[in-house]
Amino acid sequence: MDMIIHERRDEADGVVSLTLGRPDGGPLPHWAPGAHVDVALADGLVRQYSLCSDPADRQRWRLGVLREPVSRGGSEYVFDKLHGGDIVAVGEPRNHFALEPARRYVFVAGGIGITPILPMIAAAEAAGAEWTLLYGGRSRASMAFLPELAAYGERVTVAPQDEVGLLDLAGLVAIPRLGTLVYACGPAPMLDAVGALMSIWPAGSLRVERFAPKVLEDAGGESFEVEFASTGVTATVDPGRSILTVAEEAGIPALWSCREGTCGTCETPLLAGRAEHRDSLLTDVEKADQNTIFICVSRAERGCGRLTLDL
């Protein structure tokens, strides 16, 4: 849908927010904390940005955008080309980082990873849950939305690296806490460290959102067959090729956006077989359930020669 940029605002060094609405002033679709949207930029370029406004506001959506030092074109376009009054095409909200009910939350944000956390904090506050936030960044000047977070007082710990060093993740999550969910979003080293520290927590305690795909030690794999149940077509997926690519070559329509396993657009029900999940979205519990697969990156488990997909 086409949306107009009502306001572009500098939130920190290298971070801007875009406030969007429908050109006709009509209501926007519902969304919940953790949701993101696709934004269509130039020449077929599509990028995903987390919604960081109030879900109850049906007139305005806010996005936070970091200017990446080595841009692949998305952030560069936003910073150099988009201004108030411009029209952009935006997709429906999708949510693979949903805030689940809990008595207590620990939020961990690094840099622009604060964007999906902002509405989560507001929701936890409204629900009367206990919560804390540890928010890190290179410097205080580079950390967006600090004035908003200041209203929450001591529950928010702001930890600029140039002032306090690396985040004290061990002091935060090394000891399991029953009834607590941990939501983390930020750079991969931070997320990997949180995951390692929480290996002894109850399954499902950690939820993460990655802005870049996980680096896999073994990105190869072996050939397997995939059956597309809607058409009865069966095709071979060789090493180095994705199910998505094979589906496209077979003329089977499949939605996609990132081709990196980070956006969730290509999620497909898994009807039979066992997948080797290479996405950055599913929790360990969801992977074990074997109910869904992201066909842009995931494959059949080694030794499983065939997958059947609802596609």
Side-chain angles (χ1 to χ4, degrees):
M1 57 184 161
D2 286 341
M3 298 186 69
I4 187 170
I5 300 175
H6 288 295
E7 182 183 19
R8 169 178 159 153
R9 178 176 173 177
D10 292 328
E11 300 291 352
D13 292 347
V15 180
V16 298
S17 65
L18 303 177
T19 301
L20 311 173
R22 285 179 46 173
D24 62 3
L28 295 168
H30 289 285
W31 63 279
H36 68 267
V37 293
D38 290 344
V39 180
L41 303 173
D43 300 324
L45 192 66
V46 177
R47 291 291 181 265
Q48 295 77 41
Y49 298 109
S50 296
L51 292 165
C52 60
S53 46
D54 180 359
D57 185 351
R58 300 291 305 282
Q59 303 301 313
R60 297 287 189 274
W61 284 352
R62 184 178 65 175
L63 312 175
V65 183
L66 169 70
R67 181 154 205 163
E68 298 284 355
V70 184
S71 174
R72 294 177 299 160
S75 67
E76 182 179 86
Y77 186 89
V78 170
F79 273 77
D80 296 344
K81 302 295 184 181
L82 292 185
H83 303 281
D86 288 345
I87 301 293
V88 291
V90 181
E92 296 282 333
R94 294 196 307 275
N95 200 339
H96 293 281
F97 193 45
L99 185 70
E100 303 293 339
R103 297 196 307 272
R104 186 184 304 108
Y105 299 97
V106 174
F107 299 111
V108 186
I112 198 63
I114 191 62
T115 49
I117 301 296
L118 285 174
M120 290 185 177
I121 289 173
E125 182 80 355
E130 297 179 36
W131 64 269
T132 60
L133 165 68
L134 177 60
Y135 178 22
R138 296 188 310 277
S139 67
R140 197 173 295 268
S142 72
M143 299 171 69
F145 308 113
L146 290 180
E148 291 181 33
L149 293 168
Y152 294 114
E154 295 182 353
R155 283 171 293 179
V156 175
T157 299
V158 176
Q161 186 173 352
D162 63 350
E163 296 179 20
V164 301
L166 297 177
L167 296 178
D168 181 16
L169 298 174
L172 189 69
V173 298
I175 300 175
R177 302 179 66 186
L178 295 178
T180 300
L181 292 181
V182 178
Y183 281 79
C185 184
M190 184 196 83
L191 300 181
D192 293 341
V194 173
L197 288 165
M198 291 187 61
S199 61
I200 60 174
W201 282 57
S205 297
L206 174 62
R207 315 294 169 87
V208 302
E209 182 168 68
R210 295 177 181 267
F211 292 138
K214 291 186 294 186
V215 177
L216 300 172
E217 293 183 4
D218 178 10
E222 56 190 21
S223 296
F224 62 94
E225 290 187 339
V226 58
E227 178 187 355
F228 302 105
S230 63
T231 63
V233 171
T234 298
T236 299
V237 182
D238 291 321
R241 291 167 57 78
S242 69
I243 299 173
L244 173 59
T245 298
V246 170
E248 291 175 328
E249 292 176 351
I252 297 169
L255 297 176
W256 64 272
S257 178
C258 73
R259 289 186 181 266
E260 295 179 332
T262 58
C263 76
T265 305
C266 70
E267 182 173 11
T268 303
L270 176 60
L271 302 180
R274 293 189 59 82
E276 178 187 307
H277 296 287
R278 299 184 174 187
D279 62 90
S280 302
L281 295 162
L282 295 178
T283 65
D284 289 341
V285 172
E286 290 168 334
K287 290 177 181 178
D289 287 342
Q290 293 286 343
N291 291 325
T292 190
I293 183 173
F294 294 94
I295 61 173
C296 68
V297 292
S298 296
R299 306 179 63 79
E301 277 189 357
R302 292 183 183 276
C304 173
R306 186 184 183 96
L307 299 178
T308 303
L309 307 182
D310 187 10
L311 186 67

